[in-house]
Amino acid sequence: MKTSVAIYPGTFDPVTNGHLDLIGRGERMFDRLIVAVLKNVDKEPLFALSERIEMVREVTKQWDSVEVDVFDGLLVEYARKRGAGVILRGIRAVSDYEYELQMALMNRKLEPRLETVFMLPGESYSYLSARLVRQLALEHARDGAAARLRAGICEPQEARARHLP
Ligand code: PNS
């Protein structure tokens, strides 16, 4: 009997409810779903690799067939190593399409047997992105630091060291 193994790759900086919605859909569709967190990101991530993994583990622990792993280098190589036949990606809006198309076609060129499957997250998540969540997280951190400064708990040097006002 064929077993369908899919990889849901990403930076997950941080994992959002939109990602989680897609993981839930993938979990229902594939026998095994590997959520693969990219180790070396081009841009400096806000969250360290260990934090990104921990957050993904925490929110996916209800699913036995979902595994969280780390990958580095080419996704197609990782998929080959894990015996996966499918890459799962989400498309929220038309704006995602061009980037996703480029990636899917490049991956197909590199490994024609690997299929990219696109799924739509629930429409309530179509506005949500890790970039916006990062901005919110930074704003909250700033608010927290300002409050600590007012309360005299946090020294200005500490705030500066954390790139906070
Ligand atoms: O969450 P993201 O940042 O949109 O995920 C992008 C990711 C990790 C899927 C993509 O950058 C990737 O697959 N990187 C690994 C390097 C690779 O295989 N590149 C060739 C594909 S075009």
Side-chain angles (χ1 to χ4, degrees):
M1 198 177 86
K2 265 192 181 172
T3 308
S4 59
V5 180
I7 292 179
Y8 180 42
T11 309
F12 303 109
D13 183 36
V15 65
T16 66
N17 281 332
H19 293 131
L20 197 58
D21 177 276
L22 217 77
I23 294 169
R25 290 170 199 276
E27 188 270 342
R28 291 196 290 276
M29 190 164 198
F30 302 104
D31 295 319
R32 185 151 196 80
L33 182 64
I34 303 168
V35 182
V37 182
L38 181 66
K39 184 177 176 186
N40 285 328
V41 182
D42 286 345
K43 294 166 284 171
E44 179 77 12
L46 178 61
F47 294 95
L49 177 65
S50 56
E51 293 175 308
R52 287 184 280 136
I53 294 168
E54 198 185 310
M55 287 187 272
V56 180
R57 287 227 164 96
E58 178 63 31
V59 296
T60 58
K61 63 182 178 203
Q62 76 250 38
W63 293 303
D64 290 339
S65 61
V66 175
E67 175 191 333
V68 182
D69 195 12
V70 182
F71 83 105
D72 206 4
L74 283 182
L75 179 59
V76 291
E77 295 296 340
Y78 174 72
R80 206 174 290 154
K81 221 167 53 193
R82 298 301 316 263
V86 171
I87 294 172
L88 174 65
R89 291 287 290 175
I91 291 194
R92 289 163 301 186
V94 181
S95 49
D96 284 337
Y97 182 71
E98 205 167 313
Y99 170 60
E100 293 299 333
L101 178 74
Q102 275 181 355
M103 237 179 1
L105 292 180
M106 177 58 80
N107 285 331
R108 179 186 278 172
K109 193 105 192 144
L110 295 169
E111 177 48 270
R113 285 170 304 178
L114 193 60
E115 285 298 338
T116 299
V117 169
F118 294 113
M119 288 176 105
L120 303 178
E123 52 273 27
S124 51
Y125 301 115
S126 57
Y127 68 94
L128 192 60
S129 74
R131 185 176 54 82
L132 291 181
V133 172
R134 276 198 300 276
Q135 282 175 8
L136 280 178
L138 279 173
E139 285 308 319
H140 282 142
R142 278 199 189 95
D143 287 352
R148 282 199 302 281
L149 276 172
R150 277 196 298 277
I153 297 165
C154 176
E155 293 299 316
Q157 297 92 304
E158 187 192 333
R160 266 201 297 278
R162 295 174 184 200
H163 311 289
L164 297 171

